[in-house]
Amino acid sequence: MDEDAADRLAPVLRPVRAGNGFEEALEQILQIVRLGLVPDGGRLPAERELAERLQISRVTLREVLKVLQDQGLVESRRGRYGGTFVRARREPSGGEAELRRRIARVDVEDTLRFREVLEVGAAGLCAAHGLDTDQVARLRGALDATRDAPLTDYRRLDTLLHLTLAELSGSPSLAARYAAVRATVNELLDCIPLLVRNLEHSQHQHTALVEAVLDGDADAAREVMREHCAGTAALLRGFLA
């Protein structure tokens, strides 16, 4: 797997605990798929690399991949260019009914508050501790990728930007919890339309956020992130009302 791909998966892939190896490995690879860290049609890391990063046997990993294949989330291809590939996600159907079904499974307010705490904390940590040259390049690259992104790819690239910030905070625990809560938020966002005006506003906030982080202004970084999270929460509440 190339270095950029490794960076994208760093916030999610981590060694699992021995007692729940299968379940935790399944959870992590599901997060990779749900968060769009590997795009539709993209290939997951090779089995050997996945097994090493998760610290599970390849037998256990193949059981995990079999479950994902049975659920129609990935497909296995043989040959020189084979591997395990993410299948195109079906668009949510059912409109408001689908949204209601999804929100019935989660405490929306708790999810949004927890997301804000993690995001604001990550932004403040990145600004306060500072980033090295490689980390600055990663953050700027993630921001640049969201600019002029097609609507069909915007949410995935937006997610990658936020995950990058969480991972650069220096706290693996924060990054792991953020990946989980972001997956839940994305399930809700997938049920509402992408609004161009909202995306333009989000991009202005993204730029201000990254600049505050790179300037080492922790207070400004936290405040911009707080406003950004509040905007997403307001949008969701508007559609849920």
Side-chain angles (χ1 to χ4, degrees):
M1 183 171 61
D2 61 53
E3 187 174 347
D4 288 344
D7 287 341
R8 290 198 300 271
L9 303 187
V12 176
L13 284 182
R14 58 197 180 277
V16 302
R17 290 169 292 188
N20 296 309
F22 171 81
E23 291 81 4
E24 291 188 16
L26 179 61
E27 176 189 22
Q28 290 185 41
I29 299 177
L30 273 171
Q31 284 182 355
I32 289 172
V33 175
R34 290 168 64 199
L35 290 167
L37 299 184
V38 176
D40 293 345
R43 182 167 56 185
L44 291 174
E47 283 188 8
R48 181 177 64 181
E49 181 177 354
L50 275 177
E52 287 177 353
R53 294 183 70 168
L54 293 166
Q55 293 186 12
I56 58 175
S57 70
R58 292 179 73 169
V59 171
T60 299
L61 176 62
R62 286 169 184 155
E63 292 175 348
V64 169
L65 295 177
K66 178 65 166 56
V67 170
L68 297 177
Q69 188 166 339
D70 289 345
Q71 294 300 310
L73 298 174
V74 302
E75 62 180 346
S76 177
R77 301 177 194 169
R78 297 184 179 276
R80 181 178 179 183
Y81 300 105
T84 302
F85 293 79
V86 175
R87 298 187 64 180
R89 291 181 296 171
R90 295 184 294 272
E91 291 297 321
S93 59
E96 184 176 349
E98 171 65 10
L99 181 58
R100 299 291 173 185
R101 184 185 69 79
R102 292 190 181 193
I103 65 176
R105 301 202 309 262
V106 299
D107 184 331
V108 176
E109 288 301 323
D110 179 65
T111 297
L112 294 176
R113 288 183 184 127
F114 189 40
R115 180 224 175 168
E116 179 179 331
V117 168
L118 294 176
E119 294 253 36
V120 170
L125 285 171
C126 286
H129 295 166
L131 305 179
D132 63 29
T133 302
D134 290 341
Q135 291 173 327
V136 169
R138 281 187 57 197
L139 187 57
R140 285 200 180 278
L143 174 64
D144 289 344
T146 62
R147 294 194 177 106
D148 301 319
L151 288 179
T152 53
D153 213 25
Y154 182 83
R155 190 156 287 151
R156 181 179 71 85
L157 296 174
D158 171 69
T159 298
L160 288 174
L161 171 60
H162 286 264
L163 280 168
T164 298
L165 196 70
E167 198 254 325
L168 294 179
S169 72
S171 170
S173 295
L174 185 156
R177 282 162 178 76
Y178 177 68
V181 77
R182 179 68 191 225
T184 301
V185 170
N186 279 5
E187 277 204 334
L188 300 176
L189 289 173
D190 282 344
C191 288
I192 68 176
L194 282 165
L195 307 176
V196 173
R197 178 67 181 273
N198 170 251
L199 298 187
E200 290 174 347
H201 184 220
S202 290
Q203 278 305 104
H204 287 307
Q205 291 176 326
H206 286 160
T207 300
L209 171 65
V210 170
E211 292 307 318
V213 167
L214 298 184
D215 287 343
D217 190 338
D219 288 339
R222 284 190 289 262
E223 185 56 31
V224 174
M225 183 63 90
R226 188 175 289 109
E227 290 181 2
H228 185 61
C229 291
T232 301
L235 197 64
L236 280 171
R237 291 186 185 112
F239 278 95
L240 299 180

